[in-house]
Amino acid sequence: MTRFSSRCVAAFAAISLAILPVSPVLAASPAPVAGENGMVVTAQHLATDVGVKVLKEGGNAVDAAVAVAYTLAVTYPTAGNLGGGGFMTLRMADGRTDFIDFREKAPLAATKTMYLDAKGDIVPRASLDGYLAVGVPGTVKGLELAREKYGTQSRAALIDPAIRLAKDGFTLNQGDAGILAYGAKRLAKNPDAAKIFLKADGTPYREGEVLKQPDLAKVLEAIRDKGADAFYKGFVADAIVKASEAGHGILAKADFTAYRVRELKPVECDYHGYHIISSPPPSSGGVIICEILNILEAYPLAEQGYGAASTVHDMVEAMRYAYADRNTALGDPDFVKNPVSKLLSKDYAKDIRAKIEPGKAGKSADVKPLGGHESTETTHFSIIDREGNAVSVTYTLNGSFGAGVVAPGTGILLNNEMDDFTSKPGVPNLYGLVQGEANAIEPHKTPLSSMSPTIVTKDGKPFMVIGSPGGSRIITITLEAMLNVMDFGMNISDAVNAPRIHHQWQPDKIYYEPYALSPDTIEKLKSMGYTLDGGVGSPLWGQAAGILVGGPSLADIGKSGNARYYGAIDARAVSGLAEGY
Ligand code: GLY
């Protein structure tokens, strides 16, 4: 079958726009990419190619996901990783579901006040830069568990493509080079990172140049030959601990030997006949998506329409209450009792709806919670195979290029996931999240996440695979892509590309992307009492990656001539690709 990708569709769309006098409507998004046997959607085109090859050669969606994740660690260093962590939501064709939690954990020597000075004030950037910011990585153990339990291919088959790309190098396209240029100033501060990601003269690699990563290739070869132990018990852990000690960090060998992946029961809920399967704590993602959907299901969003002031009001009020719960009540389930069943209950949603006044902005200060420039950080990929096995993965270094440090000889960028903890109750983190005690730092605890790898089913069959990067906005980006398909009738490409809104309880304002709200909608929202922040000139948010089963949009499903799968990578992903076969 001829390869039909969003790259060529985007080029075609650009030509069409040049010759047709069309207005900038949402339908200008590249057409969804069709595939009969499988679909891979990632933020980096070479990783997508690897995933599709694995599927074509008989691997299943989990095999493809593992190969994609290893490849992104080479070709998408801003977020792809071996030195970070993440989540995998799976739904196998036989109906089994699973959630693999391979997120980072606080080192055993971590303390609640480790980012505070003697006066109890936060030491600026201590949880963001350098070795003290690093959580114990989980990616390699997570990928190996997924492969062993659900995959069908050998470790070598799934890691070899990444080894080749690291050893022989890959030619940077404009997007790849742009991402490296974005991180150049930060990477320059760590000589071992600079040696890899900057040229000998200290300048960033340019489009058309080749990036080689021989140390990373050696690590990948060791993992291929010896499995996860090569990372957690071998020279990799030794090198990271040594560099951490030299760099005022607290990582120890015991942190690596003690690291365990968790398999958890996904969070599940129902909305208008759709069944949502998403991330449980230590992610807030699935719980908060479900809480928002439960609140919204009584409002006529489809009738009101995308972007209408009434729709924005309903969504923002639901987000306000749900994020208040997120930021105060949730944390690592091994350490805190998460009120998940309460947050997921339809009665709780009804109680919240009773407090929402139509046509009037609520006030975050009045919300009593239950308990206490971002674009290329984190990455999400969505995959489905010919059997209908669906895999949704979000993994991350937290900030772009993580803590900005590479332990000598490893080629591995390390995360700064420790910033996702509450460094001090009431003080905002990188994403402006004001969090509470449930997410306080404790040894071996996992910081609360917003990552929301999600699979939606309808009538017991896969319907949508979706997720996004975006820090605290991951939840609302993923939610809005789902609503765009389920309520607003968008095709999967428009759904991931449409401009978005976001509210996270604190600060009490509606954030909006360029063109998300028309001037008269903004006026209406202001007259309801809202404060707004965003619009033209403000940065774009995370790059969603989505798959719809059975048609490019809801209305198309069931029509003859459809392919089985339709995929779309957000145009905000400068090097991304959706590819089917
Ligand atoms: N590091 C972003 C998140 O996990 O939510």
Side-chain angles (χ1 to χ4, degrees), residues 506-569:
Q506 302 282 10
D508 189 350
K509 51 183 168 180
I510 303 175
Y511 294 98
Y512 64 108
E513 275 191 311
Y515 311 108
L517 301 172
S518 68
D520 47 5
T521 306
I522 290 170
E523 283 317 307
K524 270 195 192 165
L525 289 166
K526 281 185 180 163
S527 72
M528 291 180 194
Y530 287 108
T531 303
L532 292 103
D533 185 346
V536 179
S538 62
L540 299 177
W541 307 347
Q543 309 91 0
I547 297 172
L548 202 62
V549 180
S553 74
L554 188 56
D556 296 309
I557 294 175
K559 287 187 183 161
S560 63
N562 283 345
R564 210 159 141 224
Y565 301 130
Y566 289 85
I569 183 69

Short mmCIF file of all heavy atoms in Angstrom, two decimals, residues 506-569:
data_model
loop_
_atom_site.label_atom_id
_atom_site.label_comp_id
_atom_site.label_asym_id
_atom_site.label_seq_id
_atom_site.Cartn_x
_atom_site.Cartn_y
_atom_site.Cartn_z
N GLN A 506 -6.27 27.37 40.17
CA GLN A 506 -5.38 28.49 40.49
C GLN A 506 -4.31 28.57 39.42
O GLN A 506 -3.75 27.52 39.10
CB GLN A 506 -4.71 28.30 41.84
CG GLN A 506 -5.64 28.14 43.02
CD GLN A 506 -6.22 29.46 43.50
OE1 GLN A 506 -6.06 30.48 42.81
NE2 GLN A 506 -6.91 29.46 44.61
N PRO A 507 -3.96 29.71 38.86
CA PRO A 507 -4.62 31.00 39.05
C PRO A 507 -6.03 30.99 38.45
O PRO A 507 -6.29 30.22 37.52
CB PRO A 507 -3.71 31.98 38.30
CG PRO A 507 -2.81 31.16 37.45
CD PRO A 507 -2.84 29.76 37.92
N ASP A 508 -6.88 31.86 38.98
CA ASP A 508 -8.29 31.85 38.59
C ASP A 508 -8.48 32.61 37.27
O ASP A 508 -8.94 33.75 37.25
CB ASP A 508 -9.12 32.47 39.71
CG ASP A 508 -10.62 32.28 39.47
OD1 ASP A 508 -10.99 31.84 38.36
OD2 ASP A 508 -11.39 32.57 40.39
N LYS A 509 -8.06 31.96 36.16
CA LYS A 509 -8.29 32.60 34.86
C LYS A 509 -8.40 31.54 33.76
O LYS A 509 -7.90 30.42 33.92
CB LYS A 509 -7.19 33.60 34.52
CG LYS A 509 -5.77 33.11 34.65
CD LYS A 509 -4.85 34.29 34.35
CE LYS A 509 -3.42 34.06 34.70
NZ LYS A 509 -2.55 35.17 34.42
N ILE A 510 -9.06 31.95 32.70
CA ILE A 510 -9.15 31.06 31.53
C ILE A 510 -7.95 31.33 30.64
O ILE A 510 -7.75 32.45 30.18
CB ILE A 510 -10.43 31.33 30.70
CG1 ILE A 510 -11.69 31.20 31.55
CG2 ILE A 510 -10.49 30.40 29.48
CD1 ILE A 510 -12.97 31.58 30.80
N TYR A 511 -7.13 30.29 30.43
CA TYR A 511 -6.07 30.40 29.43
C TYR A 511 -6.65 29.98 28.09
O TYR A 511 -7.49 29.08 28.03
CB TYR A 511 -4.91 29.46 29.78
CG TYR A 511 -4.18 29.84 31.05
CD1 TYR A 511 -4.47 29.22 32.26
CD2 TYR A 511 -3.19 30.82 31.04
CE1 TYR A 511 -3.81 29.57 33.43
CE2 TYR A 511 -2.52 31.17 32.20
CZ TYR A 511 -2.82 30.54 33.38
OH TYR A 511 -2.16 30.89 34.54
N TYR A 512 -6.24 30.65 27.02
CA TYR A 512 -6.73 30.21 25.71
C TYR A 512 -5.64 30.37 24.65
O TYR A 512 -4.85 31.30 24.68
CB TYR A 512 -8.02 30.93 25.31
CG TYR A 512 -7.92 32.43 25.11
CD1 TYR A 512 -8.00 32.98 23.84
CD2 TYR A 512 -7.77 33.30 26.19
CE1 TYR A 512 -7.93 34.35 23.63
CE2 TYR A 512 -7.70 34.66 26.01
CZ TYR A 512 -7.77 35.19 24.73
OH TYR A 512 -7.68 36.54 24.54
N GLU A 513 -5.63 29.41 23.73
CA GLU A 513 -4.64 29.44 22.65
C GLU A 513 -5.04 30.49 21.61
O GLU A 513 -6.21 30.90 21.55
CB GLU A 513 -4.57 28.06 21.98
CG GLU A 513 -3.65 27.08 22.67
CD GLU A 513 -3.42 25.84 21.84
OE1 GLU A 513 -4.39 25.24 21.34
OE2 GLU A 513 -2.26 25.45 21.69
N PRO A 514 -4.10 30.88 20.74
CA PRO A 514 -4.45 31.79 19.66
C PRO A 514 -5.67 31.28 18.90
O PRO A 514 -5.74 30.10 18.57
CB PRO A 514 -3.20 31.77 18.77
CG PRO A 514 -2.08 31.42 19.71
CD PRO A 514 -2.67 30.53 20.75
N TYR A 515 -6.62 32.14 18.66
CA TYR A 515 -7.83 31.88 17.86
C TYR A 515 -8.83 30.94 18.54
O TYR A 515 -9.81 30.54 17.93
CB TYR A 515 -7.49 31.35 16.45
CG TYR A 515 -6.46 32.19 15.77
CD1 TYR A 515 -5.15 31.74 15.58
CD2 TYR A 515 -6.76 33.49 15.35
CE1 TYR A 515 -4.18 32.54 15.01
CE2 TYR A 515 -5.80 34.29 14.77
CZ TYR A 515 -4.51 33.82 14.60
OH TYR A 515 -3.56 34.63 14.04
N ALA A 516 -8.60 30.57 19.80
CA ALA A 516 -9.55 29.67 20.47
C ALA A 516 -10.88 30.37 20.71
O ALA A 516 -11.93 29.73 20.70
CB ALA A 516 -8.98 29.17 21.79
N LEU A 517 -10.84 31.68 20.93
CA LEU A 517 -12.07 32.42 21.27
C LEU A 517 -12.17 33.65 20.38
O LEU A 517 -11.20 34.38 20.20
CB LEU A 517 -12.02 32.86 22.74
CG LEU A 517 -11.89 31.74 23.78
CD1 LEU A 517 -11.65 32.33 25.17
CD2 LEU A 517 -13.11 30.84 23.78
N SER A 518 -13.37 33.87 19.85
CA SER A 518 -13.57 35.06 19.00
C SER A 518 -13.71 36.29 19.91
O SER A 518 -14.04 36.16 21.09
CB SER A 518 -14.84 34.89 18.17
OG SER A 518 -15.96 34.91 19.03
N PRO A 519 -13.50 37.49 19.34
CA PRO A 519 -13.60 38.70 20.18
C PRO A 519 -14.95 38.82 20.88
O PRO A 519 -15.02 39.20 22.05
CB PRO A 519 -13.37 39.84 19.18
CG PRO A 519 -12.55 39.21 18.09
CD PRO A 519 -13.00 37.79 17.99
N ASP A 520 -16.06 38.46 20.20
CA ASP A 520 -17.34 38.64 20.90
C ASP A 520 -17.56 37.58 21.97
O ASP A 520 -18.21 37.83 22.99
CB ASP A 520 -18.54 38.81 19.96
CG ASP A 520 -18.58 37.79 18.85
OD1 ASP A 520 -17.72 36.88 18.85
OD2 ASP A 520 -19.47 37.90 17.99
N THR A 521 -16.96 36.39 21.77
CA THR A 521 -17.04 35.37 22.83
C THR A 521 -16.26 35.86 24.05
O THR A 521 -16.70 35.71 25.20
CB THR A 521 -16.45 34.03 22.33
OG1 THR A 521 -17.12 33.69 21.13
CG2 THR A 521 -16.63 32.93 23.35
N ILE A 522 -15.11 36.45 23.79
CA ILE A 522 -14.29 36.97 24.89
C ILE A 522 -15.09 38.02 25.68
O ILE A 522 -15.12 38.02 26.92
CB ILE A 522 -12.96 37.55 24.35
CG1 ILE A 522 -12.09 36.40 23.85
CG2 ILE A 522 -12.24 38.36 25.42
CD1 ILE A 522 -10.86 36.81 23.08
N GLU A 523 -15.77 38.90 24.94
CA GLU A 523 -16.58 39.93 25.62
C GLU A 523 -17.66 39.30 26.47
O GLU A 523 -17.91 39.71 27.61
CB GLU A 523 -17.19 40.91 24.59
CG GLU A 523 -16.20 41.92 24.05
CD GLU A 523 -15.31 42.52 25.15
OE1 GLU A 523 -15.85 43.01 26.15
OE2 GLU A 523 -14.06 42.45 25.03
N LYS A 524 -18.33 38.27 25.92
CA LYS A 524 -19.39 37.60 26.70
C LYS A 524 -18.83 36.98 27.97
O LYS A 524 -19.44 37.07 29.03
CB LYS A 524 -20.02 36.48 25.85
CG LYS A 524 -21.19 36.92 25.01
CD LYS A 524 -21.94 35.69 24.52
CE LYS A 524 -22.91 36.11 23.43
NZ LYS A 524 -23.43 35.03 22.67
N LEU A 525 -17.67 36.34 27.82
CA LEU A 525 -17.07 35.68 28.99
C LEU A 525 -16.66 36.72 30.04
O LEU A 525 -16.85 36.51 31.24
CB LEU A 525 -15.87 34.82 28.56
CG LEU A 525 -16.26 33.56 27.77
CD1 LEU A 525 -15.03 32.95 27.07
CD2 LEU A 525 -16.91 32.51 28.67
N LYS A 526 -16.15 37.85 29.57
CA LYS A 526 -15.78 38.91 30.52
C LYS A 526 -17.02 39.40 31.26
O LYS A 526 -16.99 39.65 32.46
CB LYS A 526 -15.10 40.07 29.78
CG LYS A 526 -13.65 39.78 29.45
CD LYS A 526 -12.99 41.00 28.84
CE LYS A 526 -11.54 40.74 28.50
NZ LYS A 526 -11.00 41.73 27.55
N SER A 527 -18.12 39.52 30.51
CA SER A 527 -19.33 40.02 31.17
C SER A 527 -19.89 39.00 32.17
O SER A 527 -20.62 39.35 33.08
CB SER A 527 -20.39 40.41 30.13
OG SER A 527 -20.93 39.24 29.56
N MET A 528 -19.51 37.74 32.02
CA MET A 528 -19.90 36.73 33.03
C MET A 528 -18.99 36.81 34.26
O MET A 528 -19.23 36.12 35.25
CB MET A 528 -19.77 35.32 32.45
CG MET A 528 -20.77 34.96 31.37
SD MET A 528 -20.44 33.24 30.83
CE MET A 528 -21.39 33.18 29.33
N GLY A 529 -17.90 37.57 34.14
CA GLY A 529 -17.00 37.72 35.30
C GLY A 529 -15.67 37.00 35.16
O GLY A 529 -14.92 36.90 36.14
N TYR A 530 -15.37 36.50 33.96
CA TYR A 530 -14.11 35.76 33.80
C TYR A 530 -12.92 36.69 33.51
O TYR A 530 -13.07 37.71 32.84
CB TYR A 530 -14.22 34.76 32.64
CG TYR A 530 -15.08 33.57 32.97
CD1 TYR A 530 -16.33 33.41 32.40
CD2 TYR A 530 -14.63 32.60 33.86
CE1 TYR A 530 -17.14 32.32 32.70
CE2 TYR A 530 -15.42 31.50 34.17
CZ TYR A 530 -16.67 31.36 33.59
OH TYR A 530 -17.44 30.28 33.91
N THR A 531 -11.75 36.24 33.97
CA THR A 531 -10.48 36.85 33.56
C THR A 531 -9.87 35.91 32.54
O THR A 531 -9.89 34.69 32.72
CB THR A 531 -9.54 36.95 34.78
OG1 THR A 531 -10.21 37.70 35.78
CG2 THR A 531 -8.22 37.60 34.42
N LEU A 532 -9.34 36.49 31.46
CA LEU A 532 -8.80 35.65 30.39
C LEU A 532 -7.33 35.97 30.14
O LEU A 532 -6.89 37.10 30.35
CB LEU A 532 -9.59 35.85 29.09
CG LEU A 532 -11.02 35.32 29.16
CD1 LEU A 532 -12.01 36.43 29.36
CD2 LEU A 532 -11.35 34.52 27.92
N ASP A 533 -6.60 34.96 29.66
CA ASP A 533 -5.17 35.13 29.41
C ASP A 533 -4.79 34.28 28.20
O ASP A 533 -4.91 33.06 28.25
CB ASP A 533 -4.41 34.66 30.66
CG ASP A 533 -2.90 34.90 30.57
OD1 ASP A 533 -2.41 35.17 29.46
OD2 ASP A 533 -2.23 34.78 31.62
N GLY A 534 -4.38 34.90 27.12
CA GLY A 534 -3.95 34.11 25.96
C GLY A 534 -4.25 34.83 24.67
O GLY A 534 -4.22 36.05 24.61
N GLY A 535 -4.54 34.05 23.62
CA GLY A 535 -4.88 34.63 22.33
C GLY A 535 -3.68 34.79 21.44
O GLY A 535 -2.61 34.20 21.67
N VAL A 536 -3.85 35.63 20.43
CA VAL A 536 -2.82 35.80 19.40
C VAL A 536 -1.49 36.22 20.04
O VAL A 536 -1.47 37.10 20.90
CB VAL A 536 -3.28 36.84 18.36
CG1 VAL A 536 -2.20 37.05 17.29
CG2 VAL A 536 -4.58 36.39 17.71
N GLY A 537 -0.42 35.53 19.64
CA GLY A 537 0.91 35.86 20.17
C GLY A 537 1.29 35.01 21.37
O GLY A 537 2.46 34.96 21.74
N SER A 538 0.33 34.34 21.98
CA SER A 538 0.69 33.50 23.14
C SER A 538 1.12 32.13 22.63
O SER A 538 0.77 31.73 21.52
CB SER A 538 -0.46 33.39 24.13
OG SER A 538 -1.57 32.78 23.52
N PRO A 539 1.90 31.40 23.44
CA PRO A 539 2.45 30.12 22.93
C PRO A 539 1.39 29.06 22.69
O PRO A 539 0.32 29.10 23.31
CB PRO A 539 3.38 29.66 24.05
CG PRO A 539 3.38 30.69 25.08
CD PRO A 539 2.33 31.70 24.79
N LEU A 540 1.72 28.11 21.81
CA LEU A 540 0.85 26.96 21.58
C LEU A 540 1.11 25.91 22.66
O LEU A 540 2.17 25.91 23.27
CB LEU A 540 1.13 26.35 20.21
CG LEU A 540 0.90 27.28 19.02
CD1 LEU A 540 1.29 26.58 17.72
CD2 LEU A 540 -0.56 27.71 18.95
N TRP A 541 0.14 25.04 22.87
CA TRP A 541 0.27 24.02 23.92
C TRP A 541 0.63 22.68 23.31
O TRP A 541 0.94 22.58 22.14
CB TRP A 541 -1.02 23.95 24.73
CG TRP A 541 -1.48 25.29 25.26
CD1 TRP A 541 -0.73 26.45 25.29
CD2 TRP A 541 -2.76 25.63 25.77
NE1 TRP A 541 -1.49 27.47 25.82
CE2 TRP A 541 -2.74 27.00 26.12
CE3 TRP A 541 -3.94 24.91 25.99
CZ2 TRP A 541 -3.84 27.66 26.67
CZ3 TRP A 541 -5.03 25.57 26.54
CH2 TRP A 541 -4.97 26.93 26.88
N GLY A 542 0.55 21.60 24.15
CA GLY A 542 1.05 20.27 23.79
C GLY A 542 0.52 19.67 22.50
O GLY A 542 -0.56 20.03 22.02
N GLN A 543 1.29 18.72 22.00
CA GLN A 543 1.01 18.13 20.69
C GLN A 543 0.30 16.79 20.86
O GLN A 543 0.92 15.77 21.10
CB GLN A 543 2.31 17.90 19.93
CG GLN A 543 3.22 19.11 19.85
CD GLN A 543 4.22 19.17 21.00
OE1 GLN A 543 4.26 18.32 21.87
NE2 GLN A 543 5.03 20.21 21.01
N ALA A 544 -1.02 16.81 20.67
CA ALA A 544 -1.81 15.59 20.84
C ALA A 544 -1.56 14.62 19.69
O ALA A 544 -1.16 15.03 18.59
CB ALA A 544 -3.28 15.94 20.93
N ALA A 545 -1.77 13.33 19.96
CA ALA A 545 -1.62 12.29 18.93
C ALA A 545 -2.83 11.38 19.04
O ALA A 545 -3.03 10.75 20.07
CB ALA A 545 -0.33 11.52 19.18
N GLY A 546 -3.65 11.34 17.98
CA GLY A 546 -4.92 10.63 18.11
C GLY A 546 -5.19 9.64 16.99
O GLY A 546 -4.70 9.78 15.86
N ILE A 547 -5.98 8.62 17.33
CA ILE A 547 -6.43 7.63 16.35
C ILE A 547 -7.94 7.46 16.55
O ILE A 547 -8.41 7.36 17.69
CB ILE A 547 -5.74 6.27 16.57
CG1 ILE A 547 -4.24 6.38 16.35
CG2 ILE A 547 -6.34 5.20 15.63
CD1 ILE A 547 -3.45 5.12 16.73
N LEU A 548 -8.68 7.45 15.45
CA LEU A 548 -10.12 7.15 15.50
C LEU A 548 -10.35 5.87 14.68
O LEU A 548 -9.76 5.70 13.61
CB LEU A 548 -10.90 8.32 14.90
CG LEU A 548 -12.36 8.43 15.31
CD1 LEU A 548 -12.50 8.64 16.81
CD2 LEU A 548 -13.03 9.59 14.58
N VAL A 549 -11.20 5.01 15.20
CA VAL A 549 -11.45 3.72 14.56
C VAL A 549 -12.75 3.78 13.77
O VAL A 549 -13.78 4.21 14.30
CB VAL A 549 -11.52 2.60 15.63
CG1 VAL A 549 -11.79 1.24 14.97
CG2 VAL A 549 -10.23 2.54 16.44
N GLY A 550 -12.69 3.38 12.50
CA GLY A 550 -13.91 3.21 11.72
C GLY A 550 -14.27 4.36 10.80
O GLY A 550 -15.13 4.21 9.93
N GLY A 551 -13.65 5.51 10.97
CA GLY A 551 -13.95 6.64 10.09
C GLY A 551 -13.15 7.84 10.53
O GLY A 551 -12.69 7.88 11.67
N PRO A 552 -12.99 8.83 9.64
CA PRO A 552 -12.24 10.02 10.03
C PRO A 552 -12.95 10.85 11.09
O PRO A 552 -12.32 11.55 11.87
CB PRO A 552 -12.07 10.80 8.73
CG PRO A 552 -13.03 10.21 7.74
CD PRO A 552 -13.36 8.83 8.20
N SER A 553 -14.30 10.80 11.12
CA SER A 553 -15.06 11.51 12.15
C SER A 553 -16.22 10.62 12.56
O SER A 553 -16.53 9.63 11.88
CB SER A 553 -15.59 12.85 11.64
OG SER A 553 -16.68 12.61 10.76
N LEU A 554 -16.90 10.99 13.61
CA LEU A 554 -18.02 10.21 14.13
C LEU A 554 -19.09 10.00 13.05
O LEU A 554 -19.61 8.89 12.86
CB LEU A 554 -18.62 10.97 15.33
CG LEU A 554 -19.67 10.29 16.17
CD1 LEU A 554 -19.15 8.96 16.70
CD2 LEU A 554 -20.02 11.20 17.35
N ALA A 555 -19.38 11.08 12.33
CA ALA A 555 -20.45 11.00 11.32
C ALA A 555 -20.09 10.07 10.17
O ALA A 555 -20.97 9.58 9.46
CB ALA A 555 -20.76 12.40 10.79
N ASP A 556 -18.80 9.84 9.96
CA ASP A 556 -18.37 8.98 8.85
C ASP A 556 -18.39 7.51 9.21
O ASP A 556 -18.36 6.65 8.32
CB ASP A 556 -16.92 9.33 8.45
CG ASP A 556 -16.82 10.73 7.91
OD1 ASP A 556 -17.60 11.07 7.01
OD2 ASP A 556 -15.97 11.48 8.40
N ILE A 557 -18.40 7.21 10.50
CA ILE A 557 -18.29 5.81 10.91
C ILE A 557 -19.51 5.04 10.40
O ILE A 557 -20.64 5.50 10.49
CB ILE A 557 -18.13 5.70 12.44
CG1 ILE A 557 -16.80 6.31 12.86
CG2 ILE A 557 -18.22 4.24 12.91
CD1 ILE A 557 -16.54 6.40 14.34
N GLY A 558 -19.25 3.91 9.78
CA GLY A 558 -20.34 3.09 9.23
C GLY A 558 -20.55 3.33 7.75
O GLY A 558 -21.25 2.57 7.08
N LYS A 559 -19.95 4.41 7.20
CA LYS A 559 -20.09 4.65 5.75
C LYS A 559 -19.20 3.67 5.00
O LYS A 559 -18.15 3.26 5.49
CB LYS A 559 -19.67 6.08 5.41
CG LYS A 559 -20.67 7.11 5.86
CD LYS A 559 -20.28 8.47 5.35
CE LYS A 559 -21.24 9.53 5.88
NZ LYS A 559 -20.70 10.87 5.80
N SER A 560 -19.59 3.33 3.78
CA SER A 560 -18.78 2.38 3.02
C SER A 560 -17.52 3.09 2.49
O SER A 560 -17.50 4.31 2.32
CB SER A 560 -19.59 1.80 1.86
OG SER A 560 -19.92 2.84 0.99
N GLY A 561 -16.51 2.31 2.25
CA GLY A 561 -15.28 2.85 1.66
C GLY A 561 -14.30 3.39 2.69
O GLY A 561 -13.22 3.85 2.34
N ASN A 562 -14.67 3.33 3.94
CA ASN A 562 -13.73 3.82 4.97
C ASN A 562 -12.58 2.84 5.15
O ASN A 562 -12.76 1.63 5.01
CB ASN A 562 -14.43 3.90 6.34
CG ASN A 562 -15.32 5.12 6.46
OD1 ASN A 562 -15.23 6.03 5.65
ND2 ASN A 562 -16.20 5.11 7.45
N ALA A 563 -11.43 3.38 5.51
CA ALA A 563 -10.37 2.51 6.03
C ALA A 563 -10.75 2.18 7.48
O ALA A 563 -11.70 2.75 8.03
CB ALA A 563 -9.04 3.23 5.99
N ARG A 564 -9.99 1.26 8.07
CA ARG A 564 -10.31 0.87 9.44
C ARG A 564 -9.86 1.92 10.46
O ARG A 564 -10.53 2.18 11.45
CB ARG A 564 -9.61 -0.46 9.71
CG ARG A 564 -10.34 -1.30 10.68
CD ARG A 564 -9.93 -2.74 10.54
NE ARG A 564 -9.86 -3.30 11.88
CZ ARG A 564 -8.91 -4.06 12.32
NH1 ARG A 564 -7.91 -4.40 11.52
NH2 ARG A 564 -8.95 -4.53 13.53
N TYR A 565 -8.71 2.52 10.20
CA TYR A 565 -8.13 3.44 11.18
C TYR A 565 -7.82 4.80 10.55
O TYR A 565 -7.40 4.87 9.39
CB TYR A 565 -6.82 2.87 11.74
CG TYR A 565 -6.96 1.52 12.41
CD1 TYR A 565 -6.12 0.47 12.08
CD2 TYR A 565 -7.93 1.32 13.39
CE1 TYR A 565 -6.24 -0.77 12.71
CE2 TYR A 565 -8.06 0.10 14.03
CZ TYR A 565 -7.22 -0.95 13.69
OH TYR A 565 -7.35 -2.16 14.30
N TYR A 566 -7.99 5.85 11.35
CA TYR A 566 -7.61 7.19 10.92
C TYR A 566 -6.76 7.83 12.02
O TYR A 566 -7.15 7.83 13.20
CB TYR A 566 -8.86 8.05 10.65
CG TYR A 566 -9.55 7.58 9.39
CD1 TYR A 566 -10.46 6.54 9.44
CD2 TYR A 566 -9.24 8.14 8.16
CE1 TYR A 566 -11.06 6.06 8.28
CE2 TYR A 566 -9.84 7.68 6.99
CZ TYR A 566 -10.74 6.64 7.05
OH TYR A 566 -11.31 6.18 5.90
N GLY A 567 -5.61 8.35 11.65
CA GLY A 567 -4.70 8.92 12.65
C GLY A 567 -4.39 10.36 12.34
O GLY A 567 -4.50 10.82 11.19
N ALA A 568 -4.00 11.10 13.37
CA ALA A 568 -3.59 12.49 13.16
C ALA A 568 -2.59 12.89 14.24
O ALA A 568 -2.82 12.68 15.43
CB ALA A 568 -4.79 13.42 13.23
N ILE A 569 -1.49 13.46 13.78
CA ILE A 569 -0.56 14.11 14.71
C ILE A 569 -0.84 15.60 14.64
O ILE A 569 -1.03 16.17 13.56
CB ILE A 569 0.93 13.79 14.40
CG1 ILE A 569 1.88 14.40 15.44
CG2 ILE A 569 1.34 14.25 13.01
CD1 ILE A 569 1.79 13.79 16.80
#
